Amino acid sequence: MDRTRIREMIKNLTQLDYSKMYMHDFLETWHKNDDEIAATFKVADILRGLREAGIAPRIFDSGLGISLFRDNSTRTRFSFASACNLLGLTVQDMDEGKSQIAHGETVRETANMVSFMAETIGIRDDMFIGKGNAYMREVSAALEEGYRVGVLEQRPTVVDLQCDIDHPTQCMADMLHIINYYGGVDKLKGKKIAMTWAYSPSYGKPLSVPQGVIGLMTRFGMDVTLAHPKGYDVMSAVESIAAENARASGCTYKRTHSMEDAFEGADIVYPKSWAPYAAMEKRSDLYTKGDQDGIKKLEKELLAQNTNFKKWECTEKLMKSTSKGQALYMHCLPADITGVSCKEGEVEASVFDRYRVPMYREASYKPYIIAAMILLARKADPADTLMRLLDSGAQRIK
Amino acid sequence: MDRTRIREMIKNLTQLDYSKMYMHDFLETWHKNDDEIAATFKVADILRGLREAGIAPRIFDSGLGISLFRDNSTRTRFSFASACNLLGLTVQDMDEGKSQIAHGETVRETANMVSFMAETIGIRDDMFIGKGNAYMREVSAALEEGYRVGVLEQRPTVVDLQCDIDHPTQCMADMLHIINYYGGVDKLKGKKIAMTWAYSPSYGKPLSVPQGVIGLMTRFGMDVTLAHPKGYDVMSAVESIAAENARASGCTYKRTHSMEDAFEGADIVYPKSWAPYAAMEKRSDLYTKGDQDGIKKLEKELLAQNTNFKKWECTEKLMKSTSKGQALYMHCLPADITGVSCKEGEVEASVFDRYRVPMYREASYKPYIIAAMILLARKADPADTLMRLLDSGAQRIK
Amino acid sequence: MDRTRIREMIKNLTQLDYSKMYMHDFLETWHKNDDEIAATFKVADILRGLREAGIAPRIFDSGLGISLFRDNSTRTRFSFASACNLLGLTVQDMDEGKSQIAHGETVRETANMVSFMAETIGIRDDMFIGKGNAYMREVSAALEEGYRVGVLEQRPTVVDLQCDIDHPTQCMADMLHIINYYGGVDKLKGKKIAMTWAYSPSYGKPLSVPQGVIGLMTRFGMDVTLAHPKGYDVMSAVESIAAENARASGCTYKRTHSMEDAFEGADIVYPKSWAPYAAMEKRSDLYTKGDQDGIKKLEKELLAQNTNFKKWECTEKLMKSTSKGQALYMHCLPADITGVSCKEGEVEASVFDRYRVPMYREASYKPYIIAAMILLARKADPADTLMRLLDSGAQRIK
């Protein structure tokens, strides 16, 4: 990307009102207004442009990025690490196993104790319904108070790296992929996107991706369909948000129990497994009670239930029914690929393979999305910062 | 803090003689003379001032800070990471489980092998009486030799992040909190501080905090009382140091077996659980012998012994007996808070909560104390370095 | 080292043709030509010279170095971390236990997913014959493709931090130690080096060091002898390379089953335990089959087999038989030292101790060798980069 184009993008950025992002967190996308969402995409694109132009967007000379993962992660962990590194922050893992957390200290205390020099805290806590997002909000409130009373010299920004409700860094990266794939937000009007359940031999996958997708993708004038077998409902509160978004952006949100219906004429398909919301609620209760037998029983039931829907696979045949037979296939990765990572899975190997490069490109947006979220929350005038970076021409590599 | 004030502090620093800190470690506080202790506080305050003024005190362009924890840690781990980051060092964890240490290599060898580009090694080794401090000294001797014979290009500084004898980074942070709370060292003359045992439902807590406190706080003209139930003695060698310090600074050091006595009229109280020294010695022997049954038996005995002293709790009633009923309550955190982190513990929830903000402030000094320890050991003329940082005005955030 | 000398070394570097190292990996040394090997040594020496002169060779403002260890490591882990830090890269551990790798994703996918901002990936995978090197090549191919199709903005360099075939960072450090010990490559003609097996009470040690040594040391006009008991053969393909190298460099490569023969008149000795190649192949098969009983049985057999060769120890008596009784003793560390780390081992304690400092010096080259490998692969004109660093005089420590 040449510097003239980057300069133009920074100028466009100044036309958006994102002033309230300063000193705030990035949790669910639906708590950000349209300008804020647009600014995040814009800053992500600018940061990528700067890096590709060999300019180092290092805004911090020092400072920590705290990484707190309560579930395994490759992509998001590395994306957060990459984003912090790009901006000049050093990642410090908060490994609860090596800490004194178990000692009974409160979330408020821990949040303050690790944050004396922290600019951001990225949290993945997606295992239990009703827990992850609540935990992030508890951390956030503690940081807010710590900053207010002068314990913390700066207010670290909480970035939701996947919770029980939303997966904003994933879905924002997905969306930026769509925007750039089609050449701009203005090209999306009337496009049809199908977020559909797909069969997986594993169970208990988070609902944050389908929820995040319907909660975000309904904001851009695209007709969004959520498809899943009966019993695989997502949180109804998020469906309400999706419906409201659709109304506001002049498109439709609908739900179906047929994968075929959802694929028919779709421009974009996102077939992915998830667990039924009700079952995940039950599972959270069982964990709270420590009912190991109950958990095993539930797991068995869910796996058995899944097997009733093996036909929910993204096949070449289904792909043919999409718009011109060429819908953009998307996935947050890793996927359960039939005959590759499992015997029967979410997608036929040939479909997956055909879209491999676009999907890797899709994933490549995540570090920039996270960096944009941090930058917008930590700088009062990000456009000014970015313009100065561009003008300084600070080389990333000597 | 404004720059004029920082400049003044740097000038004051030059009036202290701390030349011997260069190229040396920071282990027990009592091996540092008064000027050296004062210089550490001063540099910590200056570094904080610089950071608050937006100036990056990054003195290293590259270099490693080795982090070696043989016990769990949140606060100290993050404080060390923060200190290294502030100065421009990158933390590399020495995870003995992932290393070839078990392979039978010597401490001398490991210390050299990890240190080719290390500027500091922070070590926590507090589990076993007679082991932790000895280990740090063995590492230190190896580094000294490695540097002398030219294997190491620089002499990494060992920082004691808690051993079996002292917890210098904690107690120095505690002391700086006291100094700044009262507005200067000269305000402390005649103040009364009570370091007292308190009940905890867990057992085997290190003695390093009470030992560190009596070994350090007796140097500032404050009357120091150590209170604990019979049988909960600390190392007698450290008590001797405390008594000698008190004589030298014109105050008193005394021991009592009554929490009430210690609290009576105290200006500062530090109620915290620890294990009896004799029991910890026994425990070390049992571990050396690998006597698992003996260890379990001892644990049981100690827990039973603790329960005899549940009345050793920092209550509102006790707090009322302190000076003006308003003694400064301190804790190294995490605390065992009655009704919060345990059923019966070291402190009543209302007392803890009232002092929560000051305690978080207390903890916030630790990163700066550690950074000061490193800076004073790695730079021949720290005042000059700090003045140049101030004059350069290098911004921490662009 | 003074700057005039560094300048001269950089000028010498420009006379070598190492242009093909740019954008390529560093796997087996025998896939690099003589100029490339010489350039790696030269750059390592220059980087060391710069650092010793207080000049920061930080060429990256940001960027990640991915560290992927499938076996324990102290030295190599810290050497990779040190090399990355020296150049300005931040190490991000790829901990497969905390990732979603087990989820069935392909090597191709993972390699791309972690590399969006990676400049290098260092891999240790030395446990199984036929696996480690193959894995590195799979990662490499994935990165090559990812870069080609535009998923990755840069082509990360794979550095082999020990595989089943070679241990290039170790053997290059060993060799640079020899070169500098004798004062230059031109001093090595006709020197005799003995790479010999030695007894160890453990089993299954990788073959990568003896293989790496005979594959590399035969390129410098030194007569190389490989000595081991019958049945402890190394990969025959590597022996062929050694023999060919020897022919090309006008020296000899020979194999013997007598430690005494190998030591007789040797200038350099490298006594070290390893496992028989055939047994390691068998072990890989057993692991593939998951045959735990077979593995235990093989382990027992190998340990029993080892005990037949306890006389293969580097004793003072054997050392006397070397050239002038003063051969340079080498080891990759940690060694099995008789009476220190084990009852009976590879080397007598007095021999080991006499060579301890040179061995630590030997190890100290590894960070610079790795940094040189990265630099040569990431910069199109490394000599220019290094000269600019020298001229800028950028201080490592303020």
Side-chain angles (χ1 to χ4, degrees):
Chain A
M1 198 179 290
D2 69 14
R3 298 186 178 205
T4 313
R5 173 90 187 95
I6 300 172
R7 190 172 304 273
E8 195 182 308
M9 289 170 80
I10 299 174
K11 282 182 188 162
N12 290 342
L13 178 63
T14 60
Q15 287 153 29
L16 299 168
D17 178 12
Y18 48 84
S19 54
K20 279 187 202 141
M21 298 182 85
Y22 181 53
M23 303 277 277
H24 283 88
D25 305 317
F26 206 113
L27 303 181
E28 299 98 311
T29 59
W30 41 89
H31 293 309
K32 300 292 172 192
N33 68 34
D34 289 351
D35 268 19
E36 291 165 352
I37 294 290
T40 308
F41 291 141
K42 192 67 75 186
V43 171
D45 276 340
I46 294 167
L47 287 171
R48 181 169 213 144
L50 286 170
R51 193 177 193 271
E52 287 180 357
I55 299 170
R58 180 187 185 111
I59 61 167
F60 297 101
D61 171 84
S62 58
L64 298 183
I66 313 295
S67 161
L68 202 172
F69 280 80
R70 291 177 154 179
D71 193 6
N72 284 343
S73 168
T74 309
R75 264 148 285 270
T76 307
R77 185 185 288 278
F78 274 78
S79 291
F80 183 72
S82 297
C84 284
N85 175 257
L86 187 74
L87 298 176
L89 300 176
T90 295
V91 171
Q92 178 67 20
D93 279 337
M94 175 71 215
D95 185 333
E96 294 177 300
K98 290 182 182 171
S99 78
Q100 300 192 342
I101 300 281
H103 196 281
E105 70 179 78
T106 58
V107 171
R108 178 158 64 176
E109 186 166 312
T110 308
N112 276 279
M113 292 301 109
V114 302
S115 297
F116 296 127
M117 296 192 186
E119 298 285 346
T120 184
I121 304 185
I123 305 176
R124 163 161 293 188
D125 188 343
D126 59 354
M127 300 283 277
F128 303 113
I129 292 290
K131 307 284 185 190
N133 190 271
Y135 173 73
M136 293 177 196
R137 291 183 180 278
E138 200 178 348
V139 169
S140 177
L143 297 173
E144 190 67 37
E145 188 212 22
Y147 179 68
R148 188 171 46 75
V149 301
V151 163
L152 303 180
E153 285 160 26
Q154 67 294 318
R155 162 65 161 92
T157 298
V158 177
V159 176
D160 175 350
L161 300 176
Q162 188 168 6
C163 71
D164 50 321
I165 302 179
D166 196 4
H167 193 344
T169 65
Q170 178 65 47
C171 298
M172 291 287 285
D174 293 340
M175 190 62 217
L176 185 50
H177 177 57
I178 294 174
I179 293 170
N180 286 336
Y181 182 84
Y182 284 107
V185 172
D186 51 313
K187 308 284 166 48
L188 302 181
K189 192 80 200 166
K191 290 267 182 289
K192 294 175 69 175
I193 173 167
M195 176 75 235
T196 97
W197 192 86
Y199 171 72
S200 159
S202 75
Y203 96 107
K205 299 208 181 198
L207 293 121
S208 52
V209 167
Q211 290 172 174
V213 164
I214 62 168
L216 178 65
M217 273 49 163
T218 41
R219 297 171 75 159
F220 302 91
M222 296 191 290
D223 294 325
V224 178
T225 302
L226 178 72
H228 58 76
K230 281 183 189 172
Y232 284 79
D233 296 70
V234 302
M235 280 180 76
S236 60
V238 180
E239 287 213 79
S240 302
I241 289 161
E244 202 173 313
N245 284 345
R247 262 193 304 278
S249 82
C251 63
T252 63
Y253 167 72
K254 69 170 186 181
R255 192 164 53 141
T256 168
H257 295 311
S258 157
M259 197 176 191
E260 287 73 18
D261 279 1
F263 266 63
E264 183 68 40
D267 298 285
I268 303 162
V269 294
Y270 203 136
K272 193 209 165 299
S273 195
W274 67 79
Y277 179 71
M280 288 300 95
E281 266 195 314
K282 196 173 163 188
R283 182 162 159 255
S284 285
D285 290 346
L286 293 169
Y287 269 100
T288 305
K289 288 179 200 156
D291 180 352
Q292 293 304 323
D293 289 343
I295 291 164
K296 274 182 201 159
K297 193 161 160 278
L298 178 64
E299 181 178 336
K300 219 170 164 179
E301 284 168 16
L302 288 171
L303 284 170
Q305 185 183 347
N306 271 12
T307 58
N308 296 328
F309 307 105
K310 288 194 179 176
K311 289 197 179 158
W312 286 70
E313 184 192 5
C314 178
T315 59
E316 290 287 5
K317 195 179 156 200
L318 264 179
M319 286 301 288
K320 285 215 176 75
S321 72
T322 65
S323 175
K324 298 176 196 168
Q326 293 186 328
L328 177 65
Y329 168 86
M330 296 179 72
H331 201 285
C332 53
L333 302 176
D336 288 317
I337 309 161
T338 301
V340 176
S341 47
C342 57
K343 209 174 140 195
E344 298 165 293
E346 297 169 318
V347 58
E348 270 186 17
S350 65
V351 174
F352 184 86
D353 210 54
R354 192 144 32 89
Y355 289 91
R356 209 168 38 74
V357 172
M359 263 184 297
Y360 289 3
R361 183 83 184 169
E362 176 186 352
S364 76
Y365 286 107
K366 204 188 276 180
Y368 294 107
I369 285 288
I370 297 174
M373 290 170 173
I374 298 171
L375 180 59
L376 284 159
R378 304 301 308 127
K379 294 295 296 181
D381 188 350
D384 175 65
T385 301
L386 292 165
M387 196 62 94
R388 281 189 290 110
L389 283 171
L390 178 65
D391 289 338
S392 77
Q395 285 182 285
R396 190 177 74 82
I397 307 179
K398 268 181 203 162
Chain B
M1 197 177 291
D2 69 13
R3 297 187 179 207
T4 312
R5 173 89 187 96
I6 299 172
R7 189 173 302 276
E8 196 182 307
M9 289 171 78
I10 299 175
K11 280 183 188 161
N12 290 343
L13 178 63
T14 59
Q15 286 154 30
L16 298 169
D17 178 12
Y18 49 83
S19 54
K20 279 186 202 142
M21 297 183 85
Y22 182 52
M23 303 278 276
H24 282 87
D25 305 316
F26 207 113
L27 303 181
E28 298 98 309
T29 58
W30 42 89
H31 293 309
K32 301 291 172 193
N33 68 34
D34 288 351
D35 268 19
E36 291 165 353
I37 295 290
T40 309
F41 291 140
K42 192 67 75 186
V43 172
D45 276 341
I46 294 167
L47 287 172
R48 182 170 211 141
L50 286 170
R51 194 177 193 273
E52 287 180 357
I55 299 170
R58 181 187 184 111
I59 61 167
F60 297 101
D61 170 83
S62 58
L64 298 183
I66 313 294
S67 162
L68 202 171
F69 281 80
R70 290 176 155 180
D71 194 6
N72 284 343
S73 168
T74 308
R75 265 149 284 270
T76 307
R77 185 186 289 277
F78 274 77
S79 291
F80 183 71
S82 297
C84 284
N85 175 257
L86 187 74
L87 299 177
L89 300 176
T90 295
V91 170
Q92 177 67 21
D93 279 338
M94 175 72 214
D95 184 332
E96 293 177 300
K98 289 182 183 173
S99 78
Q100 299 193 341
I101 301 280
H103 196 282
E105 69 179 79
T106 58
V107 171
R108 178 158 65 176
E109 187 166 310
T110 308
N112 275 279
M113 292 302 109
V114 302
S115 297
F116 295 127
M117 296 191 187
E119 298 285 345
T120 184
I121 304 186
I123 305 176
R124 163 161 293 188
D125 188 343
D126 59 354
M127 300 284 276
F128 303 113
I129 292 290
K131 306 284 184 190
N133 190 271
Y135 173 73
M136 292 176 196
R137 291 183 180 277
E138 200 178 347
V139 169
S140 176
L143 297 174
E144 190 68 37
E145 189 213 21
Y147 178 68
R148 188 172 46 75
V149 301
V151 163
L152 302 180
E153 284 160 26
Q154 68 293 319
R155 162 65 162 91
T157 299
V158 178
V159 177
D160 176 351
L161 299 177
Q162 188 170 5
C163 71
D164 49 321
I165 302 179
D166 196 5
H167 194 343
T169 65
Q170 178 65 47
C171 298
M172 291 288 285
D174 293 340
M175 190 62 217
L176 185 52
H177 177 56
I178 293 174
I179 293 170
N180 286 336
Y181 182 84
Y182 284 106
V185 173
D186 51 313
K187 306 283 165 50
L188 302 181
K189 193 79 201 168
K191 290 268 180 291
K192 294 175 69 174
I193 173 167
M195 175 76 234
T196 96
W197 192 87
Y199 170 73
S200 159
S202 76
Y203 96 107
K205 298 207 182 200
L207 295 120
S208 52
V209 167
Q211 290 172 172
V213 165
I214 63 168
L216 177 65
M217 273 50 162
T218 41
R219 297 171 74 159
F220 303 90
M222 296 191 289
D223 295 325
V224 178
T225 303
L226 178 72
H228 58 75
K230 280 184 189 170
Y232 284 81
D233 297 70
V234 302
M235 279 181 75
S236 61
V238 181
E239 287 212 78
S240 303
I241 288 162
E244 202 174 312
N245 284 345
R247 263 193 304 278
S249 82
C251 64
T252 62
Y253 168 72
K254 69 171 186 181
R255 193 165 51 142
T256 168
H257 295 311
S258 158
M259 198 176 188
E260 287 74 16
D261 278 1
F263 267 62
E264 183 68 40
D267 297 285
I268 303 162
V269 294
Y270 203 136
K272 195 211 164 296
S273 194
W274 67 80
Y277 180 72
M280 288 301 95
E281 265 195 315
K282 197 172 164 188
R283 182 163 159 255
S284 285
D285 290 344
L286 293 169
Y287 268 100
T288 305
K289 287 178 200 155
D291 180 354
Q292 294 302 323
D293 289 343
I295 292 164
K296 275 181 201 160
K297 194 162 159 276
L298 179 64
E299 181 177 337
K300 220 170 164 179
E301 284 168 15
L302 288 170
L303 284 171
Q305 186 184 348
N306 272 13
T307 57
N308 296 328
F309 307 105
K310 288 193 179 178
K311 290 195 181 159
W312 287 69
E313 185 192 6
C314 179
T315 59
E316 290 287 6
K317 194 180 157 198
L318 264 179
M319 287 302 288
K320 286 216 176 73
S321 72
T322 64
S323 174
K324 299 175 194 167
Q326 293 186 328
L328 177 64
Y329 167 85
M330 296 179 72
H331 200 287
C332 54
L333 303 177
D336 288 316
I337 310 161
T338 301
V340 177
S341 46
C342 57
K343 209 175 141 195
E344 298 165 294
E346 299 170 318
V347 59
E348 270 186 17
S350 65
V351 174
F352 183 86
D353 210 53
R354 192 145 31 89
Y355 289 91
R356 207 167 40 72
V357 172
M359 263 185 297
Y360 289 2
R361 182 83 184 168
E362 176 186 352
S364 77
Y365 286 107
K366 204 188 276 179
Y368 294 108
I369 284 288
I370 297 174
M373 289 171 174
I374 298 171
L375 180 59
L376 284 158
R378 303 303 307 127
K379 294 295 297 181
D381 189 349
D384 175 66
T385 301
L386 292 165
M387 197 62 93
R388 281 189 290 111
L389 283 171
L390 179 64
D391 290 338
S392 78
Q395 285 182 285
R396 190 177 75 82
I397 306 178
K398 268 182 202 161
Chain C
M1 196 178 290
D2 69 14
R3 297 187 179 205
T4 313
R5 174 90 187 95
I6 299 172
R7 190 172 303 274
E8 196 182 309
M9 289 170 79
I10 299 174
K11 281 184 188 161
N12 290 342
L13 178 63
T14 60
Q15 286 152 30
L16 299 168
D17 178 11
Y18 48 85
S19 53
K20 279 185 203 142
M21 297 182 86
Y22 181 54
M23 303 277 277
H24 283 89
D25 305 316
F26 206 113
L27 303 181
E28 299 97 309
T29 59
W30 42 90
H31 293 310
K32 300 291 173 193
N33 68 34
D34 288 351
D35 268 18
E36 291 165 352
I37 295 290
T40 309
F41 290 141
K42 193 67 76 186
V43 172
D45 277 340
I46 293 167
L47 287 172
R48 181 169 213 143
L50 286 170
R51 193 177 193 272
E52 288 180 356
I55 299 170
R58 181 187 185 110
I59 61 167
F60 297 101
D61 170 84
S62 58
L64 298 183
I66 313 294
S67 161
L68 202 171
F69 281 79
R70 290 177 155 180
D71 194 6
N72 284 342
S73 168
T74 309
R75 265 148 283 271
T76 307
R77 185 186 289 277
F78 274 77
S79 291
F80 182 72
S82 298
C84 284
N85 175 257
L86 186 74
L87 299 176
L89 299 176
T90 295
V91 171
Q92 177 68 20
D93 279 337
M94 175 72 214
D95 185 332
E96 293 177 300
K98 289 182 183 172
S99 78
Q100 300 192 342
I101 300 282
H103 195 283
E105 70 179 79
T106 58
V107 171
R108 179 159 62 176
E109 187 166 311
T110 308
N112 276 279
M113 293 301 110
V114 303
S115 296
F116 297 127
M117 296 193 187
E119 298 285 346
T120 184
I121 304 185
I123 305 176
R124 164 161 293 189
D125 188 343
D126 59 353
M127 300 283 277
F128 302 114
I129 292 289
K131 306 283 184 192
N133 190 271
Y135 174 71
M136 292 175 196
R137 291 184 180 278
E138 202 178 346
V139 169
S140 176
L143 297 173
E144 190 68 38
E145 189 213 21
Y147 178 68
R148 188 172 46 76
V149 300
V151 163
L152 302 180
E153 285 161 25
Q154 68 293 319
R155 163 62 162 92
T157 299
V158 177
V159 176
D160 175 351
L161 300 176
Q162 189 170 5
C163 71
D164 50 321
I165 302 178
D166 196 5
H167 193 344
T169 64
Q170 178 65 47
C171 298
M172 291 288 285
D174 293 341
M175 190 62 217
L176 185 51
H177 177 56
I178 293 175
I179 293 170
N180 286 337
Y181 182 85
Y182 283 107
V185 172
D186 51 312
K187 307 285 165 49
L188 302 181
K189 192 79 201 167
K191 290 267 181 290
K192 293 174 70 175
I193 174 166
M195 176 74 235
T196 97
W197 192 87
Y199 171 72
S200 159
S202 77
Y203 97 106
K205 299 207 181 200
L207 293 120
S208 52
V209 167
Q211 289 171 176
V213 165
I214 64 168
L216 178 65
M217 273 49 162
T218 40
R219 296 171 74 158
F220 302 91
M222 296 191 289
D223 295 324
V224 178
T225 302
L226 178 72
H228 59 74
K230 279 183 189 171
Y232 284 80
D233 296 70
V234 301
M235 279 180 76
S236 60
V238 181
E239 287 214 77
S240 302
I241 289 162
E244 202 173 313
N245 284 345
R247 261 194 304 277
S249 83
C251 63
T252 61
Y253 167 72
K254 69 172 187 182
R255 192 164 52 141
T256 167
H257 295 311
S258 158
M259 198 176 190
E260 287 74 17
D261 279 0
F263 267 62
E264 182 68 40
D267 298 285
I268 303 162
V269 294
Y270 203 136
K272 194 210 165 297
S273 194
W274 67 80
Y277 180 72
M280 288 301 95
E281 266 196 314
K282 197 172 163 188
R283 182 163 159 254
S284 286
D285 290 345
L286 293 169
Y287 269 100
T288 305
K289 287 179 200 155
D291 180 353
Q292 294 302 324
D293 289 342
I295 291 164
K296 275 182 200 160
K297 193 161 159 274
L298 179 63
E299 181 178 338
K300 219 170 165 180
E301 285 168 14
L302 288 171
L303 285 170
Q305 186 183 349
N306 272 12
T307 58
N308 296 329
F309 307 106
K310 289 193 177 177
K311 290 197 179 158
W312 287 69
E313 185 193 5
C314 178
T315 59
E316 290 287 6
K317 195 178 155 200
L318 263 179
M319 287 302 288
K320 286 216 175 74
S321 72
T322 64
S323 175
K324 298 175 195 168
Q326 294 186 327
L328 177 64
Y329 168 85
M330 296 180 73
H331 200 286
C332 53
L333 303 176
D336 288 317
I337 309 162
T338 301
V340 177
S341 46
C342 56
K343 209 175 139 194
E344 297 165 292
E346 298 170 319
V347 59
E348 271 185 16
S350 65
V351 174
F352 184 86
D353 210 54
R354 193 143 34 87
Y355 289 91
R356 208 169 38 74
V357 172
M359 262 184 297
Y360 289 3
R361 183 83 185 166
E362 177 186 351
S364 76
Y365 286 107
K366 205 189 277 180
Y368 293 107
I369 284 289
I370 297 174
M373 290 171 174
I374 298 170
L375 180 58
L376 284 158
R378 303 301 307 126
K379 294 295 295 181
D381 189 349
D384 175 65
T385 301
L386 292 165
M387 197 61 93
R388 281 189 290 110
L389 283 171
L390 179 64
D391 290 337
S392 78
Q395 284 181 286
R396 190 177 75 82
I397 307 179
K398 267 182 201 159

